[in-house]
Amino acid sequence: MRPADFRDHLVDLLKNSPEVQQVAVPESGPYPYALTATVAGKECRWQVIGQLADGAKHNTPTAPVEGQPPAWTDAPVSAAPDAWLAGVIGRSEPVDVERLKVWSADPAKSSAGVTVFFRNGERAFVRLA
């Protein structure tokens, strides 16, 4: 899924999440494909970065592939922001997602984010900006 499409998808998921008070898409700023979400009184800014599937071109859509929803772990709003966001994504039971990787669960990572591995070979990197 392309970054703008996945950002819009995240906006819809977050708007329907009971822990979220407000969701917005900034009109300008240093981060393209960004969104802000106020969760439990704290504002988080996320940026979506995309990676095409091998051999895919920007001017043609990648075919959707469906399967079973990915395994995921629910995390409370008090957990690491990226773990909580991965739970929001997982609860939606996305059939086009193969797996989710939470960056804060990896001791080698120094930033927070989620890598979304799509079944069609594309990836979305959702980083806390």
Side-chain angles (χ1 to χ4, degrees):
M1 190 178 295
R2 306 301 159 96
D5 296 334
F6 193 65
R7 182 208 44 212
D8 294 344
H9 177 69
L10 282 177
V11 166
D12 288 340
L13 290 179
L14 291 168
K15 282 182 179 178
N16 293 311
S17 181
E19 304 94 349
V20 177
Q21 290 83 47
Q22 183 177 6
V23 180
V25 175
E27 295 296 322
S28 62
Y31 303 112
Y33 311 114
L35 65 97
T36 60
T38 304
V39 182
K42 181 180 175 189
E43 183 177 282
C44 296
R45 181 178 294 248
W46 298 96
Q47 179 188 19
V48 178
I49 302 165
Q51 178 180 333
L52 295 175
D54 290 341
K57 305 287 185 202
H58 282 284
N59 59 354
T60 58
T62 306
V65 179
E66 294 184 359
Q68 293 297 314
W72 56 278
T73 302
D74 203 15
V77 71
S78 59
D82 54 347
W84 175 81
L85 182 64
V88 170
I89 296 168
R91 279 192 300 268
S92 72
E93 299 183 342
V95 296
D96 59 341
V97 173
E98 180 181 338
R99 65 187 169 103
L100 301 166
K101 181 178 180 183
V102 177
W103 300 358
S104 65
D106 183 351
K109 293 279 189 183
S110 62
S111 58
V114 178
T115 303
V116 181
F117 295 85
F118 292 96
R119 293 187 186 282
N120 62 12
E122 293 182 343
R123 293 182 187 178
F125 306 95
V126 186
R127 71 177 194 92
L128 189 60

